[in-house]
Amino acid sequence: MIENPVFVRGMSRSGGTLLVTILDSHPNISMSYEIYPRQLDIGEMTGSAEELLELARSLQEQEDPVMALKLLPSKSMSNFVARCPRGGVSHQRFGEILESHVNSGFLLNTPEEKMKVMERCCLDKMEREGKSTWGLKCDNRYSEYIELWPDSFFLNIVRDGRDVLASQLNTGSFNPDPFECGRGWAYTHRKFEQFMKDYPGHGHIVSYEKLCTNPLEEMEEVFFKLGMENNSSALDYHKKDLTIFTASHLSMDRISKPIDTTSIGRWKDEVSKEQMVEFMKSAGDMMEKYGYR
């Protein structure tokens, strides 16, 4: 087990995928994307070893990725397996990983067992790439992660909440309520601040705006915090043969190009006055705290 994974957190549409992709370009860091342990829901299955092994072998035998997802016992597990290719793990390889997990004496009944499957998927990518550290996006259950990996490190990316709202309004199927979006934005960053108080030395805040306007300086600090050698070539992520480019992702257009500042301040053209008022009702204090006036 590798004890020093890197976890990335941030509200959806805050630049987390960009940050993960830059980290994945570092010669020592292997990053995966949105595979969360809580997604490994076994649905109506009993959760026995025999049942899980049958599922694992069925996945290995199924060649069609779409049909493979239909074999899974819940929509959330389907999402987990559908996102695995972003880290270079096919549904068939996931079946092999699950089989190995069960044969090692584990099931999918506890948060720790689910996290071990997530870890196996990430280690599979790390070992294929010959790197020394793995990581991926995480949810906000920080204590569960750090209990299993005491030397892990967490990066929380903060982006102007107004631009987060603009992106959610105009990308994918988020369809956010501005007030709830603001509340979620404030809660995400407030909870990370509490985590850093509870676990000093295990967290660092990354500014999306600084990442876009001065990426060399911002990433130099990130690599320093991670105890990694600074590597400016990581900013050439869009030129590299990364696993994310062989899969689908909502942010593919953004990460297929060099860093730029075009998405900063998009709220001025894309968010109405009424939407802004609702957003600021719930996020105003935290927006002020982070300097977004």
PDB file of all heavy atoms in Angstrom, residues 22 25-27 216 219-220 223 228-236 240:
ATOM      1  N   ILE A  22      -2.960  18.327 -14.547  1.00  0.00           N
ATOM      2  CA  ILE A  22      -1.602  18.858 -14.409  1.00  0.00           C
ATOM      3  C   ILE A  22      -0.779  17.946 -13.504  1.00  0.00           C
ATOM      4  O   ILE A  22       0.369  17.597 -13.822  1.00  0.00           O
ATOM      5  CB  ILE A  22      -1.634  20.296 -13.838  1.00  0.00           C
ATOM      6  CG1 ILE A  22      -2.304  21.246 -14.830  1.00  0.00           C
ATOM      7  CG2 ILE A  22      -0.212  20.777 -13.538  1.00  0.00           C
ATOM      8  CD1 ILE A  22      -2.557  22.634 -14.268  1.00  0.00           C
ATOM      9  N   SER A  25       0.475  14.877 -15.064  1.00  0.00           N
ATOM     10  CA  SER A  25       1.571  15.086 -16.012  1.00  0.00           C
ATOM     11  C   SER A  25       2.931  15.075 -15.333  1.00  0.00           C
ATOM     12  O   SER A  25       3.957  15.066 -16.011  1.00  0.00           O
ATOM     13  CB  SER A  25       1.379  16.428 -16.743  1.00  0.00           C
ATOM     14  OG  SER A  25       0.177  16.433 -17.479  1.00  0.00           O
ATOM     15  N   HIS A  26       2.944  15.119 -13.992  1.00  0.00           N
ATOM     16  CA  HIS A  26       4.213  15.065 -13.264  1.00  0.00           C
ATOM     17  C   HIS A  26       4.796  13.661 -13.374  1.00  0.00           C
ATOM     18  O   HIS A  26       4.058  12.670 -13.302  1.00  0.00           O
ATOM     19  CB  HIS A  26       3.977  15.439 -11.791  1.00  0.00           C
ATOM     20  CG  HIS A  26       5.234  15.663 -11.019  1.00  0.00           C
ATOM     21  ND1 HIS A  26       6.020  14.622 -10.551  1.00  0.00           N
ATOM     22  CD2 HIS A  26       5.862  16.814 -10.626  1.00  0.00           C
ATOM     23  CE1 HIS A  26       7.062  15.112  -9.909  1.00  0.00           C
ATOM     24  NE2 HIS A  26       6.991  16.442  -9.937  1.00  0.00           N
ATOM     25  N   PRO A  27       6.111  13.527 -13.553  1.00  0.00           N
ATOM     26  CA  PRO A  27       6.715  12.200 -13.746  1.00  0.00           C
ATOM     27  C   PRO A  27       6.574  11.245 -12.567  1.00  0.00           C
ATOM     28  O   PRO A  27       6.758  10.040 -12.728  1.00  0.00           O
ATOM     29  CB  PRO A  27       8.194  12.519 -14.019  1.00  0.00           C
ATOM     30  CG  PRO A  27       8.404  13.903 -13.518  1.00  0.00           C
ATOM     31  CD  PRO A  27       7.098  14.603 -13.693  1.00  0.00           C
ATOM     32  N   LEU A 216       2.946  28.749 -13.316  1.00  0.00           N
ATOM     33  CA  LEU A 216       4.254  28.294 -12.853  1.00  0.00           C
ATOM     34  C   LEU A 216       4.416  28.490 -11.354  1.00  0.00           C
ATOM     35  O   LEU A 216       4.842  27.585 -10.635  1.00  0.00           O
ATOM     36  CB  LEU A 216       5.360  29.045 -13.600  1.00  0.00           C
ATOM     37  CG  LEU A 216       5.705  28.543 -15.008  1.00  0.00           C
ATOM     38  CD1 LEU A 216       6.655  29.517 -15.694  1.00  0.00           C
ATOM     39  CD2 LEU A 216       6.338  27.153 -14.941  1.00  0.00           C
ATOM     40  N   MET A 219       1.776  26.235  -9.275  1.00  0.00           N
ATOM     41  CA  MET A 219       2.107  24.810  -9.245  1.00  0.00           C
ATOM     42  C   MET A 219       3.429  24.555  -8.526  1.00  0.00           C
ATOM     43  O   MET A 219       3.613  23.495  -7.922  1.00  0.00           O
ATOM     44  CB  MET A 219       2.158  24.238 -10.664  1.00  0.00           C
ATOM     45  CG  MET A 219       0.786  24.108 -11.312  1.00  0.00           C
ATOM     46  SD  MET A 219      -0.437  23.217 -10.285  1.00  0.00           S
ATOM     47  CE  MET A 219       0.351  21.630 -10.033  1.00  0.00           C
ATOM     48  N   GLU A 220       4.331  25.504  -8.560  1.00  0.00           N
ATOM     49  CA  GLU A 220       5.571  25.350  -7.797  1.00  0.00           C
ATOM     50  C   GLU A 220       5.266  25.195  -6.312  1.00  0.00           C
ATOM     51  O   GLU A 220       5.848  24.347  -5.626  1.00  0.00           O
ATOM     52  CB  GLU A 220       6.480  26.561  -8.018  1.00  0.00           C
ATOM     53  CG  GLU A 220       7.815  26.449  -7.290  1.00  0.00           C
ATOM     54  CD  GLU A 220       8.732  27.628  -7.546  1.00  0.00           C
ATOM     55  OE1 GLU A 220       8.270  28.638  -8.120  1.00  0.00           O
ATOM     56  OE2 GLU A 220       9.916  27.542  -7.165  1.00  0.00           O
ATOM     57  N   PHE A 223       3.651  21.651  -5.732  1.00  0.00           N
ATOM     58  CA  PHE A 223       4.635  20.565  -5.711  1.00  0.00           C
ATOM     59  C   PHE A 223       5.489  20.632  -4.447  1.00  0.00           C
ATOM     60  O   PHE A 223       5.870  19.596  -3.892  1.00  0.00           O
ATOM     61  CB  PHE A 223       5.519  20.623  -6.959  1.00  0.00           C
ATOM     62  CG  PHE A 223       4.789  20.266  -8.230  1.00  0.00           C
ATOM     63  CD1 PHE A 223       4.928  21.038  -9.380  1.00  0.00           C
ATOM     64  CD2 PHE A 223       3.956  19.164  -8.282  1.00  0.00           C
ATOM     65  CE1 PHE A 223       4.258  20.706 -10.545  1.00  0.00           C
ATOM     66  CE2 PHE A 223       3.271  18.822  -9.443  1.00  0.00           C
ATOM     67  CZ  PHE A 223       3.427  19.599 -10.584  1.00  0.00           C
ATOM     68  N   MET A 228       7.303  17.195  -3.694  1.00  0.00           N
ATOM     69  CA  MET A 228       7.721  16.746  -5.021  1.00  0.00           C
ATOM     70  C   MET A 228       8.635  17.786  -5.670  1.00  0.00           C
ATOM     71  O   MET A 228       8.509  18.990  -5.417  1.00  0.00           O
ATOM     72  CB  MET A 228       6.503  16.543  -5.920  1.00  0.00           C
ATOM     73  CG  MET A 228       5.570  15.435  -5.493  1.00  0.00           C
ATOM     74  SD  MET A 228       6.262  13.834  -5.944  1.00  0.00           S
ATOM     75  CE  MET A 228       4.977  12.747  -5.313  1.00  0.00           C
ATOM     76  N   GLU A 229       9.514  17.320  -6.516  1.00  0.00           N
ATOM     77  CA  GLU A 229      10.351  18.226  -7.289  1.00  0.00           C
ATOM     78  C   GLU A 229       9.478  19.037  -8.243  1.00  0.00           C
ATOM     79  O   GLU A 229       8.591  18.486  -8.897  1.00  0.00           O
ATOM     80  CB  GLU A 229      11.391  17.433  -8.071  1.00  0.00           C
ATOM     81  CG  GLU A 229      12.332  18.295  -8.894  1.00  0.00           C
ATOM     82  CD  GLU A 229      13.350  17.472  -9.665  1.00  0.00           C
ATOM     83  OE1 GLU A 229      13.379  16.235  -9.455  1.00  0.00           O
ATOM     84  OE2 GLU A 229      14.082  18.054 -10.484  1.00  0.00           O
ATOM     85  N   ASN A 230       9.719  20.328  -8.310  1.00  0.00           N
ATOM     86  CA  ASN A 230       8.958  21.167  -9.233  1.00  0.00           C
ATOM     87  C   ASN A 230       9.232  20.723 -10.663  1.00  0.00           C
ATOM     88  O   ASN A 230      10.377  20.432 -11.025  1.00  0.00           O
ATOM     89  CB  ASN A 230       9.347  22.633  -9.054  1.00  0.00           C
ATOM     90  CG  ASN A 230       8.477  23.557  -9.889  1.00  0.00           C
ATOM     91  OD1 ASN A 230       7.293  23.292 -10.089  1.00  0.00           O
ATOM     92  ND2 ASN A 230       9.054  24.633 -10.370  1.00  0.00           N
ATOM     93  N   ASN A 231       8.194  20.638 -11.464  1.00  0.00           N
ATOM     94  CA  ASN A 231       8.350  20.176 -12.836  1.00  0.00           C
ATOM     95  C   ASN A 231       7.470  21.010 -13.751  1.00  0.00           C
ATOM     96  O   ASN A 231       6.260  20.797 -13.840  1.00  0.00           O
ATOM     97  CB  ASN A 231       7.971  18.687 -12.923  1.00  0.00           C
ATOM     98  CG  ASN A 231       8.343  18.082 -14.264  1.00  0.00           C
ATOM     99  OD1 ASN A 231       7.686  18.342 -15.270  1.00  0.00           O
ATOM    100  ND2 ASN A 231       9.388  17.279 -14.288  1.00  0.00           N
ATOM    101  N   SER A 232       8.063  21.966 -14.427  1.00  0.00           N
ATOM    102  CA  SER A 232       7.294  22.886 -15.265  1.00  0.00           C
ATOM    103  C   SER A 232       6.677  22.191 -16.474  1.00  0.00           C
ATOM    104  O   SER A 232       5.691  22.669 -17.033  1.00  0.00           O
ATOM    105  CB  SER A 232       8.182  24.042 -15.734  1.00  0.00           C
ATOM    106  OG  SER A 232       9.296  23.565 -16.470  1.00  0.00           O
ATOM    107  N   SER A 233       7.232  21.039 -16.871  1.00  0.00           N
ATOM    108  CA  SER A 233       6.680  20.335 -18.026  1.00  0.00           C
ATOM    109  C   SER A 233       5.279  19.800 -17.750  1.00  0.00           C
ATOM    110  O   SER A 233       4.552  19.439 -18.674  1.00  0.00           O
ATOM    111  CB  SER A 233       7.597  19.186 -18.453  1.00  0.00           C
ATOM    112  OG  SER A 233       7.569  18.136 -17.500  1.00  0.00           O
ATOM    113  N   ALA A 234       4.905  19.740 -16.454  1.00  0.00           N
ATOM    114  CA  ALA A 234       3.550  19.291 -16.117  1.00  0.00           C
ATOM    115  C   ALA A 234       2.503  20.226 -16.705  1.00  0.00           C
ATOM    116  O   ALA A 234       1.360  19.816 -16.936  1.00  0.00           O
ATOM    117  CB  ALA A 234       3.392  19.207 -14.606  1.00  0.00           C
ATOM    118  N   LEU A 235       2.884  21.464 -16.975  1.00  0.00           N
ATOM    119  CA  LEU A 235       1.951  22.426 -17.560  1.00  0.00           C
ATOM    120  C   LEU A 235       1.731  22.177 -19.050  1.00  0.00           C
ATOM    121  O   LEU A 235       0.878  22.810 -19.665  1.00  0.00           O
ATOM    122  CB  LEU A 235       2.455  23.854 -17.324  1.00  0.00           C
ATOM    123  CG  LEU A 235       2.495  24.273 -15.851  1.00  0.00           C
ATOM    124  CD1 LEU A 235       3.153  25.633 -15.694  1.00  0.00           C
ATOM    125  CD2 LEU A 235       1.092  24.292 -15.258  1.00  0.00           C
ATOM    126  N   ASP A 236       2.489  21.240 -19.620  1.00  0.00           N
ATOM    127  CA  ASP A 236       2.265  20.819 -21.010  1.00  0.00           C
ATOM    128  C   ASP A 236       1.372  19.586 -21.059  1.00  0.00           C
ATOM    129  O   ASP A 236       1.472  18.764 -21.970  1.00  0.00           O
ATOM    130  CB  ASP A 236       3.602  20.514 -21.692  1.00  0.00           C
ATOM    131  CG  ASP A 236       4.437  21.760 -21.920  1.00  0.00           C
ATOM    132  OD1 ASP A 236       3.847  22.830 -22.159  1.00  0.00           O
ATOM    133  OD2 ASP A 236       5.679  21.673 -21.842  1.00  0.00           O
ATOM    134  N   LYS A 240       0.487  15.655 -23.761  1.00  0.00           N
ATOM    135  CA  LYS A 240       0.946  14.347 -23.297  1.00  0.00           C
ATOM    136  C   LYS A 240      -0.094  13.250 -23.514  1.00  0.00           C
ATOM    137  O   LYS A 240      -1.279  13.516 -23.681  1.00  0.00           O
ATOM    138  CB  LYS A 240       1.340  14.436 -21.818  1.00  0.00           C
ATOM    139  CG  LYS A 240       2.489  15.413 -21.599  1.00  0.00           C
ATOM    140  CD  LYS A 240       2.970  15.421 -20.169  1.00  0.00           C
ATOM    141  CE  LYS A 240       4.147  16.384 -19.998  1.00  0.00           C
ATOM    142  NZ  LYS A 240       4.666  16.394 -18.614  1.00  0.00           N
TER     143      LYS A 240
END
